[in-house]
Coordinates of all heavy atoms in Angstrom, one line a residue:
I139 N -8.5 97.7 -45.5 CA -8.7 96.3 -45.4 C -7.5 95.6 -45.9 O -6.9 96.0 -46.9 CB -10.0 95.8 -46.1 CG1 -11.2 96.5 -45.6 CG2 -10.1 94.3 -46.1 CD1 -11.9 95.9 -44.4
G140 N -7.2 94.4 -45.2 CA -6.0 93.7 -45.7 C -6.0 92.3 -45.2 O -6.9 91.8 -44.5
T141 N -5.0 91.6 -45.6 CA -4.8 90.2 -45.2 C -3.4 90.1 -44.5 O -2.4 90.6 -45.0 CB -4.9 89.2 -46.4 OG1 -4.2 89.8 -47.5 CG2 -6.3 89.1 -46.8
L142 N -3.3 89.3 -43.4 CA -2.1 89.1 -42.7 C -1.1 88.3 -43.5 O 0.1 88.5 -43.5 CB -2.3 88.4 -41.4 CG -3.0 89.2 -40.3 CD1 -3.3 88.3 -39.1 CD2 -2.2 90.3 -39.9
G143 N -1.6 87.3 -44.2 CA -0.8 86.4 -45.1 C -1.5 86.3 -46.4 O -2.7 86.7 -46.6
A144 N -0.9 85.6 -47.3 CA -1.4 85.4 -48.7 C -2.7 84.6 -48.6 O -2.7 83.5 -48.0 CB -0.4 84.8 -49.6
V145 N -3.7 85.0 -49.3 CA -5.0 84.3 -49.4 C -5.2 84.0 -50.9 O -5.7 82.9 -51.3 CB -6.2 85.1 -48.9 CG1 -7.5 84.4 -49.1 CG2 -6.0 85.4 -47.4
Q146 N -4.8 84.9 -51.8 CA -4.9 84.8 -53.2 C -3.6 84.2 -53.8 O -2.6 84.2 -53.2 CB -5.2 86.2 -53.8 CG -6.4 86.8 -53.3 CD -7.7 86.0 -53.6 OE1 -7.8 85.4 -54.6 NE2 -8.6 86.1 -52.6
P147 N -3.7 83.7 -55.1 CA -2.5 83.1 -55.7 C -1.4 84.0 -56.0 O -0.3 83.6 -56.3 CB -3.1 82.5 -57.0 CG -4.6 82.5 -56.9 CD -4.9 83.5 -55.9
S148 N -1.6 85.4 -56.0 CA -0.5 86.3 -56.3 C -0.8 87.6 -55.6 O -1.9 87.9 -55.2 CB -0.5 86.6 -57.8 OG -1.6 87.3 -58.2
V149 N 0.3 88.5 -55.5 CA 0.1 89.8 -54.9 C -0.9 90.6 -55.7 O -1.7 91.3 -55.1 CB 1.5 90.5 -54.8 CG1 1.4 92.0 -54.5 CG2 2.4 89.8 -53.7
A150 N -0.8 90.5 -57.0 CA -1.8 91.3 -57.8 C -3.2 90.9 -57.5 O -4.0 91.9 -57.3 CB -1.5 91.0 -59.3
E151 N -3.5 89.7 -57.3 CA -4.9 89.3 -57.0 C -5.2 89.7 -55.5 O -6.4 90.0 -55.3 CB -5.1 87.8 -57.2 CG -5.1 87.4 -58.7 CD -4.9 85.9 -58.9 OE1 -3.8 85.4 -59.0 OE2 -6.0 85.3 -59.0
E152 N -4.2 89.6 -54.7 CA -4.4 90.1 -53.3 C -4.8 91.6 -53.3 O -5.7 92.0 -52.6 CB -3.2 89.8 -52.5 CG -3.3 89.7 -51.0 CD -3.7 88.3 -50.6 OE1 -3.3 87.3 -51.2 OE2 -4.5 88.2 -49.6
I153 N -4.1 92.4 -54.1 CA -4.4 93.8 -54.2 C -5.9 94.0 -54.7 O -6.6 94.8 -54.1 CB -3.4 94.5 -55.1 CG1 -2.0 94.6 -54.4 CG2 -3.9 95.9 -55.4 CD1 -0.9 95.0 -55.3
I154 N -6.2 93.3 -55.7 CA -7.6 93.5 -56.3 C -8.7 93.2 -55.3 O -9.6 94.0 -55.1 CB -7.7 92.6 -57.6 CG1 -6.9 93.1 -58.7 CG2 -9.2 92.5 -58.0 CD1 -6.7 92.2 -59.9
H155 N -8.5 92.0 -54.6 CA -9.6 91.7 -53.6 C -9.6 92.6 -52.5 O -10.7 93.0 -52.0 CB -9.4 90.2 -53.2 CG -9.8 89.2 -54.3 ND1 -11.1 88.7 -54.4 CD2 -9.1 88.7 -55.3 CE1 -11.1 87.9 -55.4 NE2 -9.9 87.9 -56.0
N156 N -8.4 93.0 -52.0 CA -8.4 93.9 -50.8 C -8.8 95.3 -51.1 O -9.3 96.0 -50.3 CB -7.1 93.8 -50.1 CG -6.9 92.4 -49.5 OD1 -7.8 91.7 -49.3 ND2 -5.6 92.1 -49.1
A157 N -8.5 95.8 -52.4 CA -9.0 97.1 -52.8 C -10.5 97.2 -52.8 O -11.1 98.2 -52.4 CB -8.4 97.4 -54.2
I158 N -11.1 96.1 -53.3 CA -12.6 96.1 -53.3 C -13.1 96.1 -51.9 O -14.0 96.9 -51.5 CB -13.1 94.9 -54.1 CG1 -12.9 95.1 -55.6 CG2 -14.6 94.7 -53.8 CD1 -13.2 94.0 -56.5
S159 N -12.5 95.3 -51.0 CA -13.0 95.3 -49.6 C -12.8 96.6 -48.9 O -13.7 97.1 -48.2 CB -12.2 94.2 -48.9 OG -12.5 92.9 -49.4
A160 N -11.6 97.2 -49.2 CA -11.3 98.5 -48.5 C -12.3 99.6 -49.0 O -12.7 100.5 -48.2 CB -9.9 98.9 -48.8
S161 N -12.7 99.5 -50.2 CA -13.6 100.6 -50.8 C -15.1 100.3 -50.5 O -15.9 101.3 -50.6 CB -13.3 100.7 -52.3 OG -13.8 99.6 -53.0
S162 N -15.4 99.1 -50.2 CA -16.9 98.8 -50.1 C -17.3 98.0 -48.8 O -18.5 97.9 -48.6 CB -17.3 98.1 -51.3 OG -16.7 96.8 -51.4
Q163 N -16.3 97.4 -48.1 CA -16.7 96.5 -47.0 C -16.1 96.9 -45.7 O -16.2 96.1 -44.7 CB -16.4 95.1 -47.4 CG -17.2 94.6 -48.6 CD -16.7 93.3 -49.2 OE1 -15.8 92.6 -48.6 NE2 -17.1 93.0 -50.4
D164 N -15.3 98.0 -45.6 CA -14.8 98.4 -44.3 C -16.0 98.8 -43.4 O -16.7 99.8 -43.7 CB -13.8 99.5 -44.4 CG -13.1 99.9 -43.1 OD1 -13.7 99.7 -42.0 OD2 -11.9 100.2 -43.2
P165 N -16.2 98.1 -42.3 CA -17.4 98.4 -41.5 C -17.5 99.8 -40.9 O -18.5 100.2 -40.4 CB -17.5 97.3 -40.4 CG -16.1 96.8 -40.4 CD -15.4 97.0 -41.7

């Protein structure tokens, strides 16, 4: 799971949110 452009305030926060999505929300 990922984002095309920045959604979060930093790359670190982008990684945290997308890591959770990739591990638990990939349909």
Side-chain angles (χ1 to χ4, degrees):
I139 298 275
T141 45
L142 289 175
V145 176
Q146 301 299 324
S148 70
V149 166
E151 289 167 274
E152 205 81 38
I153 291 169
I154 290 169
H155 286 271
N156 292 342
I158 288 172
S159 294
S161 67
S162 63
Q163 296 168 10
D164 187 325

